[in-house]
Amino acid sequence: MPAAAANIVRLDGVEKHFGAVRALAKVDFSVDAGECVGLVGHNGAGKSTLMHVLAGTLTPDRGQIIIGGEPRQGYAVEMAQKLGIRCVFQELSLCPNLTVAENARVLHPTITGWGWRRRASRLIRGKLDEMFPGHGIVPDALVGELSIGKRQMVEVARAFTVTKAPLHLVILDEPTSSLDSHTAGQLLSYVRRVVATGVSCILISHLLREILDYSDRIVVMRDGAAVAAGRASEFDRDGLVTAMGGAAAGTVRPEERAAGLRRTTPVRVRARPATQKDGRELVAHEGEIIGLAGLAGHGQTELLIRIFSGASRRIPGVEVTARVALIAGDRQSDGIFPLWSIAENIGVRSIAALRKGLLISPELEKRLAERWQKRIRIRTPDLRNNILSLSGGNQQKALFARALGSEAKLVLMDDPMRGVDIGTKLEVYDLIRAEADGGRTFLWYTSEADELKNCDHVYVFRSGRIIADLHRNELSEERVIQSSFEEVT
Amino acid sequence: MRLAGRIDLLTRPWVWSYLGALLVWLAAIAFTHGYGAGGMLTAALALAVFCVITGVAQMFVITLGPGNVDLSLPANIGLASAVAMKVMHGSDSLIAAGLLAALGSGIGIGIGNYLLIRLLRIPPIIATLSASFIIQSTGISYGRGLQIKPPPGFAAFTTAQTAGIPLLAIGTAVFTVGAGILLHRTIFGRSVLAIGQNPRAAWLAGIAVERVRCATYVLSGALGGISGALLAGYFRGSSLEIGDEYLLASIACVVIGGTSVSGGKANVPGLWGAALFLVLLLTMLNTFGVSAGIRLLVTGFVIIAVIIAAGGQKPLR
Amino acid sequence: MSSVSASSAARVPLNRFRVPRRFLRAALPGLSLALVILGIGELNPRAVSYFGLNLMLNLGIPVALATIAQMFVITVNDLDLSIGTFVSFVGCVAATWLRDAPLLGVAVLLGGIGVYALLGAVIYLRNVPSIVVTLGMFFVWQGLAILILPKPGGKAPVWLHALMNFRTPYVPFPIVAALVIALVVHAGLMRSSYGAILRGSGGNPSAIGRAGWSLLKIKVTMFALAGVFGVLSGLALIGLTTSADANIGKGYTLLSIAGVILGGGEFVGGRTSPIGAVIGALTLTLAGSLLNFMRISPDWQVGAQGAILIIVLAARAVINQTGGRAS
């Protein structure tokens, strides 16, 4: 292979900070021509940030970006486009108000002039046919009216379309998250075919199987750094899991306790997902920690939201007999109030209880926040500081304080440890256990299999339904993974 | 919390609205060589009152977040002024009844606005826009040929002053203190602020989002109704156009007063500064003898300058 | 089984649910216009004639042009509260300078379009809400209009008057004009390749930015287009009324917003329709005539516009809900 083609991209010592949070710490990373690099790591390990740097949508604070053998100054999206680097981001980057063909045109400035619509249609349909035979997508369909899986297919296919600009590298960030296993297989085998023609790919996936089976080389990220790298054949599942680290399960919950609770304490929640066809339902008793497992986005959050709504109004199939509080995992969109202080953010769930007479008492609010600052160790010099002055982990602690400081006896957790450092996790696990022993019930959706070891009982989800119901003593990561992939009939 | 509030009080842009008000006043009396300085303030306070009341209404609505504006305020004010005058029928004994009727009309409009937003699932700006068309027509048809003078007692009340300070201004000052407490120290106010920052997070934090939104539009409607009655008293008679300038004036006061147009952050004292600034600016231009065209031009440039200076609110997601 | 048959098999259920909903939504504006015309024809058959329609729809042309201007702004998720007073300003310029000193007049009107482009740039670069900036411009344009024409008066340039009173054969001029406006803008915004980019920036700005397009250029383009159509609206209005008044276009702000929404446009997400917008503007214009024929007092003219808006939005809400259930 010619030397010039060897290194498509190289990142040297790239660093990136978001406020107090260090997202990337001196990362060195490279991709050769015609190889598929698998990138793995826990949530918040820095994979997406690294890819944004590569795609030109984020500028690193420090470090060099070398593409096609040349260091690139002022590297940004336009340059990435010209140099043939494409990215399929986790958040869908299609315009929902445009048709499939029009979205294809967005990526290709050269599709213009008379008959552009026909050419764009032909381009995207051809690529869809090539990648996903039998896809059933019409180029004239509005993207906003396609199902999420079809949208992902369009987006991935669009990234591989070629007109005048060259195509050297396609970054696939969780490309299979909304695809069924058949379509995911079609996509991954296409990746292998295209890599054989000399195009490079970076594949990010939570499914280690996909990474192990379809990449040539694997890079493992942890806490913003690349901690391991090597040929795919040198790794196996366990090796990857160990390298990713973060197996912060804490002490395992004793089995006897779990069994005892089921028998003796009253039921707090009974809930069935909206799409559940059989009689399976989620049941949670007082003092239990219930895990919601399965692949990300398979209906766990939806069920938590149903239960949350069910506490305030009647919803068929949901029965809640306790006050409820929710701890969001997506802090920015579901959790924090960015204009408020830490104390106000903690107090908001309890404002009714913080009143003296009709008015909210700043004194009571301050005391509540101080009490929880001590219990959960929120690291800040002053609780009156803006919530955004905290690091991500501490922001998450404030959200825990908000829920646990309220009168709620039922706490719903929507994958709350996303992007949280290990130290924080261990502290919070202890707290959850202590609160459960005090009689609170926790429903805990987590995308990290190790966290399930903290649970008394686990429900596994697939395609919006509960497909397995595992007791503490039946629980193992293999069981969960195995259940996650069972086809739903 | 309270201390923090006091510290950044000095760094907030709305302080400049008071300074601006002071400056234009000084400029105006410099021009007249001090003549009529007090009278100018009295007149400005009286007119600022209406900007402040409608400003409070608009402030709560705007604080609910992007897309929330009450475009039905002018029509509401016009209708309420007619309703109040008709019910009062020029008789002092019916003042209370007239005020209640205006309040009722305003509350009704608020409820109507909310129902449109909720049932049709349309952005509030469109709901209040279509409602305002209907209210306008109702007002025209209800107030046809109506030229009822306010009861003498009511007219006197709206223009009464002690030591050069309009009674209405004192009352409104007390009212704004109440509005400040409502905003920062009650469940309702906190909920409005939370919803304005992030409605989904507010819902997940246990806030009754829909109830609060409904209450906010009702509050805005009610305040519009009251200002309609007061304006009719102050200008000695109702008219349907009486509220026209208060749509833009209320939004301008809210913006200049330091309330965030993207929601979640509101400022009550700033409303007074902004209202006085706008009214005194017009007074100053009047004393300079400039034409109406220049007055409008300056008003427009001030609003644009303030928003560009205060601007750059990055979307938070 | 070949892949072709598999894909067409998959297409069938999709279409069964999707097409009626999309079709219904697209048909809604036309349906409401047809209803209003039918109503008028029922009450006064003579009104639906060449001269009747000419008379009733004349003032619909400037409204349609202002609605198109508003539509460009709404497509990129902004709102122009100043379009009404801008139309007044243009009207005042047209009735004075454009007649007396055409070069100056043209330069001022081009300057107005330039200001619109500048607004787009400011709104994008400073990330400020368009409602507030255009609220300020509301005052600016009105102030300028009053300065140019303190008292109602002026006179439209002869050519403008002649153009707006042009008699087309068979089909009334306003209908021809409306068709031309709708089709030209449709071709530019809905069918051209850059139009897709412009609309896309309303649907998902960051996606357009990531694909390497300049969002600044898009914003400036859309606001400049709004300025162009605002100028056309003011000119058309003065051609019809022959004299101007500083408040002549004040009502156009609300009318134009209502027209866009009536025409099937959404406030956010870049979902607008030029053809729909023109139809919406005509519907609002005709609603007044319908009420006249129904002998409903002119008091309820505006009210009827509001009612039509609410009814159409309600119909849309119902369609959306049933559609939501089906898919």
Side-chain angles (χ1 to χ4, degrees):
Chain A
M1 198 172 265
N7 251 233
I8 291 278
V9 290
R10 207 170 86 226
L11 300 178
D12 277 348
V14 166
E15 270 185 55
K16 181 75 193 173
H17 293 257
F18 295 112
V21 186
R22 188 187 63 179
L24 291 178
K26 290 215 164 134
V27 177
D28 298 325
F29 181 82
S30 71
V31 181
D32 291 344
E35 76 167 344
C36 177
V37 178
L39 188 59
V40 295
H42 283 303
N43 292 311
K47 296 167 298 190
S48 285
T49 311
L50 186 68
M51 292 307 107
H52 275 282
V53 167
L54 251 183
T57 41
L58 279 178
T59 315
D61 301 334
R62 213 167 289 146
Q64 233 184 0
I65 302 171
I66 298 152
I67 295 172
E70 281 176 52
R72 305 285 174 171
Q73 300 302 320
Y75 182 70
V77 194
E78 297 83 26
M79 198 186 280
Q81 289 282 323
K82 278 198 201 92
L83 295 169
I85 295 177
R86 307 262 182 84
C87 190
V88 178
F89 289 99
Q90 264 178 37
E91 62 271 36
L92 288 163
S93 30
L94 298 175
C95 299
N97 61 329
L98 301 185
T99 65
V100 172
E102 285 169 341
N103 268 291
R105 184 262 183 270
V106 166
L107 208 58
H108 297 284
T110 52
I111 302 186
T112 177
W114 201 249
W116 68 272
R117 198 177 287 271
R118 205 178 51 244
R119 273 177 282 144
S121 297
R122 210 185 307 134
L123 182 71
I124 189 73
R125 182 181 307 140
K127 192 52 79 177
L128 279 166
D129 287 346
E130 188 183 346
M131 293 177 75
F132 307 106
H135 51 80
I137 299 169
V138 193
D140 284 339
L142 275 184
V143 164
E145 291 178 356
L146 296 178
S147 69
I148 180 121
K150 293 219 153 93
R151 266 184 260 175
Q152 194 160 32
M153 286 155 73
V154 171
E155 185 160 21
V156 174
R158 184 180 74 156
F160 284 100
T161 53
V162 182
T163 48
K164 291 233 171 65
L167 177 64
H168 293 308
L169 172 68
V170 178
I171 301 164
L172 298 163
D173 192 351
E174 297 285 354
T176 58
S177 59
S178 308
L179 301 182
D180 59 65
S181 55
H182 171 66
T183 322
Q186 287 180 324
L187 165 63
L188 292 168
S189 58
Y190 177 80
V191 166
R192 286 316 309 170
R193 272 181 289 157
V194 80
V195 162
T197 67
V199 174
S200 312
C201 284
I202 298 174
L203 180 62
I204 302 178
S205 176
H206 267 95
L207 303 178
L208 300 181
R209 202 68 268 154
E210 290 183 351
I211 298 283
L212 286 165
D213 290 352
Y214 290 95
S215 33
D216 301 304
R217 201 155 57 81
I218 296 177
V219 175
V220 184
M221 288 192 73
R222 185 157 117 195
D223 298 334
V227 290
R231 312 297 315 165
S233 50
E234 295 163 22
F235 286 100
D236 57 9
R237 243 201 87 77
D238 293 340
L240 280 184
V241 171
T242 318
M244 283 157 67
T251 41
V252 171
R253 294 266 278 176
E255 276 168 38
E256 317 78 62
R257 183 182 175 282
L261 285 173
R262 280 265 135 165
R263 260 178 268 119
T264 55
T265 60
V267 175
R268 283 265 168 81
V269 183
R270 250 175 221 291
R272 199 177 313 126
T275 47
Q276 193 80 34
K277 295 224 171 94
D278 54 17
R280 279 213 175 98
E281 60 179 4
L282 178 149
V283 179
H285 291 248
E286 185 182 304
E288 277 189 321
I289 304 176
I290 302 291
L292 282 69
L295 300 176
H298 275 265
Q300 300 94 334
T301 303
E302 285 75 5
L303 186 63
L304 289 182
I305 297 289
R306 261 170 81 79
I307 294 172
F308 184 79
S309 316
S312 54
R313 61 191 169 91
R314 288 182 58 85
I315 287 185
V318 178
E319 211 181 293
V320 184
T321 56
R323 293 291 185 83
V324 54
L326 184 136
I327 303 170
D330 188 341
R331 286 188 294 277
Q332 306 308 322
S333 76
D334 298 352
I336 58 170
F337 296 103
L339 300 174
W340 275 354
S341 71
I342 303 162
E344 283 169 309
N345 264 287
I346 293 175
V348 62
R349 176 62 184 76
S350 315
I351 28 180
L354 294 177
R355 284 178 305 174
K356 271 185 187 157
L358 273 175
L359 299 183
I360 296 168
S361 153
E363 186 54 37
L364 289 180
E365 186 174 58
K366 188 173 138 224
R367 257 187 265 155
L368 174 80
E370 278 170 353
R371 193 163 67 240
W372 281 92
Q373 182 188 21
K374 280 197 203 93
R375 268 206 73 184
I376 203 167
R377 289 192 283 276
I378 298 171
R379 289 175 190 88
T380 176
D382 192 336
L383 287 165
R384 290 171 309 201
N385 287 347
N386 185 279
I387 183 84
L388 297 179
S389 67
L390 297 179
S391 69
N394 279 297
Q395 286 178 23
Q396 196 64 48
K397 283 184 180 175
L399 294 187
F400 271 98
R402 180 194 290 173
L404 299 178
S406 76
E407 84 293 358
K409 286 289 175 203
L410 172 63
V411 179
L412 312 178
M413 301 195 287
D414 180 20
D415 203 5
M417 301 300 185
R418 267 182 247 178
V420 170
D421 59 285
I422 297 253
T424 304
K425 282 182 185 171
L426 289 173
E427 287 172 7
V428 173
Y429 295 156
D430 287 338
L431 187 70
I432 291 172
R433 269 196 299 277
E435 289 290 319
D437 290 339
R440 272 188 155 137
T441 305
F442 288 85
L443 297 189
W444 186 354
Y445 162 45
T446 170
S447 57
E448 289 176 28
D450 287 322
E451 288 187 343
L452 295 173
K453 293 185 184 132
N454 292 293
C455 299
D456 299 317
H457 202 92
V458 171
Y459 293 90
V460 185
F461 284 69
R462 165 116 186 129
S463 298
R465 300 173 208 168
I466 298 172
I467 47 150
D469 176 349
L470 305 175
H471 293 277
R472 166 64 262 167
N473 51 1
E474 310 168 287
L475 185 67
S476 69
E477 196 172 345
E478 285 65 37
R479 271 303 295 271
V480 173
I481 301 260
Q482 195 189 352
S483 311
S484 307
F485 282 100
E486 275 166 21
E487 289 298 323
V488 186
T489 43
Chain B
M1 157 68 210
R2 237 192 263 164
L3 186 66
R6 229 167 270 158
I7 289 167
D8 53 26
L9 188 132
L10 291 172
T11 59
R12 283 189 182 175
W14 59 263
V15 175
W16 299 102
S17 65
Y18 281 92
L19 273 175
L22 184 67
L23 274 180
V24 285
W25 179 62
L26 288 177
I29 58 176
F31 187 81
T32 61
H33 303 291
Y35 178 75
M40 218 180 280
L41 270 188
T42 306
L45 276 173
L47 284 173
V49 159
F50 301 108
C51 292
V52 170
I53 300 176
T54 51
V56 168
Q58 200 69 268
M59 180 192 75
F60 273 100
V61 173
I62 287 180
T63 304
L64 277 180
N68 285 284
V69 184
D70 188 351
L71 293 185
S72 69
L73 263 181
N76 178 0
I77 292 172
L79 178 63
S81 77
V83 168
M85 290 307 100
K86 215 164 182 176
V87 172
M88 287 183 195
H89 208 73
S91 146
D92 279 346
S93 58
L94 289 170
I95 291 179
L99 279 175
L100 275 179
L103 186 68
S105 134
I107 290 176
I109 288 168
I111 293 174
N113 278 334
Y114 177 72
L115 286 180
L116 286 179
I117 296 169
R118 189 72 209 273
L119 296 181
L120 300 188
R121 292 161 201 276
I122 50 179
I125 194 163
I126 283 298
T128 53
L129 171 69
S130 15
S132 84
F133 284 170
I134 292 181
I135 302 163
Q136 258 176 44
S137 275
T138 316
I140 296 173
S141 123
Y142 178 82
R144 174 150 292 272
L146 195 74
Q147 204 46 58
I148 306 179
K149 292 253 172 278
F154 187 59
F157 163 75
T158 52
T159 44
Q161 26 178 288
T162 51
I165 302 174
L167 217 56
L168 220 47
I170 299 173
T172 309
V174 174
F175 161 74
T176 38
V177 171
I181 292 173
L182 182 69
L183 179 68
H184 293 292
R185 298 281 303 278
T186 64
I187 295 186
F188 169 72
R190 281 290 179 91
S191 304
V192 170
L193 290 169
I195 295 169
Q197 292 175 64
N198 187 339
R200 184 173 159 84
W203 177 63
L204 292 175
I207 285 168
V209 175
E210 288 308 326
R211 223 176 299 159
V212 170
R213 288 218 292 172
C214 177
T216 309
Y217 279 91
V218 169
L219 175 69
S220 172
L223 290 176
I226 290 292
S227 9
L230 293 176
L231 275 167
Y234 186 81
F235 289 110
R236 301 285 183 275
S238 72
S239 98
L240 291 168
E241 294 82 46
I242 207 164
D244 278 6
E245 62 182 289
Y246 291 101
L247 172 58
L248 300 180
S250 66
I251 299 177
C253 282
V254 170
V255 173
I256 298 176
T259 292
S260 159
V261 209
S262 39
K265 198 178 89 180
N267 193 293
V268 181
L271 282 177
W272 270 105
L276 284 172
F277 172 65
L278 280 179
V279 173
L280 280 169
L281 184 70
L282 293 182
T283 317
M284 178 191 80
L285 295 173
N286 269 336
T287 56
F288 289 178
V290 301
S291 70
I294 301 277
R295 283 206 306 268
L296 288 164
L297 216 56
V298 173
T299 315
F301 281 130
V302 165
I303 294 173
I304 295 176
V306 168
I307 190 67
I308 290 179
Q313 291 140 330
K314 284 261 180 292
L316 292 152
R317 280 173 290 272
Chain C
M1 201 195 249
S2 76
S3 70
V4 177
S5 65
S7 76
S8 57
R11 246 176 246 165
V12 173
L14 284 179
N15 289 357
R16 192 185 300 150
F17 290 116
R18 213 148 279 146
V19 167
R21 180 174 154 209
R22 221 168 131 187
F23 174 76
L24 266 178
R25 284 203 53 164
L28 209 51
L31 221 62
S32 33
L33 179 63
L35 271 179
V36 172
I37 294 181
L38 275 179
I40 292 176
E42 184 69 27
L43 291 168
N44 189 344
R46 275 187 313 166
V48 191
S49 64
Y50 183 94
F51 286 104
L53 285 174
N54 212 352
L55 208 65
M56 287 190 298
L57 283 173
N58 244 340
L59 281 172
I61 296 307
V63 177
L65 287 163
T67 305
I68 292 286
Q70 186 70 262
M71 183 204 70
F72 282 120
V73 177
I74 289 181
T75 304
V76 283
N77 302 338
D78 283 316
L79 203 60
D80 182 5
L81 295 184
S82 69
I83 189 73
T85 56
F86 181 65
V87 169
S88 303
F89 163 77
V90 172
C92 291
V93 173
T96 54
W97 295 339
L98 197 61
R99 182 189 168 90
D100 307 330
L103 272 184
L104 174 68
V106 170
V108 169
L109 293 182
L110 287 178
I113 297 172
V115 170
Y116 257 87
L118 191 68
L119 287 183
V122 165
I123 287 169
Y124 176 75
L125 292 174
R126 294 289 298 156
N127 197 16
V128 287
S130 56
I131 1 179
V132 183
V133 177
T134 56
L135 173 68
M137 288 312 294
F138 177 96
F139 290 112
V140 171
W141 296 126
Q142 192 172 25
L144 289 173
I146 292 179
L147 284 178
I148 296 169
L149 203 65
K151 271 181 289 200
K155 204 160 184 329
V158 182
W159 57 269
L160 192 56
H161 181 73
L163 176 72
M164 289 312 291
N165 290 283
F166 185 71
R167 289 286 157 90
T168 44
Y170 308 117
V171 185
F173 174 69
I175 294 183
V176 176
L179 270 174
V180 169
I181 297 167
L183 292 178
V184 166
V185 181
H186 183 82
L189 188 65
M190 310 303 284
R191 303 298 300 176
S192 82
S193 59
Y194 192 59
I197 306 299
L198 294 173
R199 282 180 290 129
S201 81
N204 187 347
S206 57
I208 297 290
R210 267 184 213 152
W213 300 94
S214 159
L215 290 172
L216 172 66
K217 193 178 145 202
I218 290 172
K219 209 55 136 192
V220 168
T221 308
M222 290 303 252
F223 270 82
L225 281 170
V228 169
F229 278 83
V231 166
L232 292 179
S233 168
L235 291 179
L237 184 57
I238 292 308
L240 289 170
T241 59
T242 65
S243 74
D245 157 3
N247 288 320
I248 196 164
K250 225 176 168 182
Y252 277 30
T253 297
L254 298 189
L255 270 180
S256 65
I257 299 176
V260 173
I261 301 305
L262 255 182
E266 302 266 350
F267 249 95
V268 285
R271 290 171 208 265
T272 50
S273 150
I275 296 178
V278 170
I279 293 179
L282 295 185
T283 311
L284 285 175
T285 315
L286 280 183
S289 308
L290 176 65
L291 291 186
N292 274 338
F293 292 128
M294 288 169 78
R295 297 182 197 290
I296 290 176
S297 91
D299 298 355
W300 288 96
Q301 289 251 352
V302 238
Q305 290 171 346
I308 291 176
L309 198 56
I310 290 173
I311 292 168
V312 169
L313 287 169
R316 204 194 286 181
V318 170
I319 292 174
N320 280 351
Q321 243 168 24
T322 50
R325 235 178 278 138
S327 59

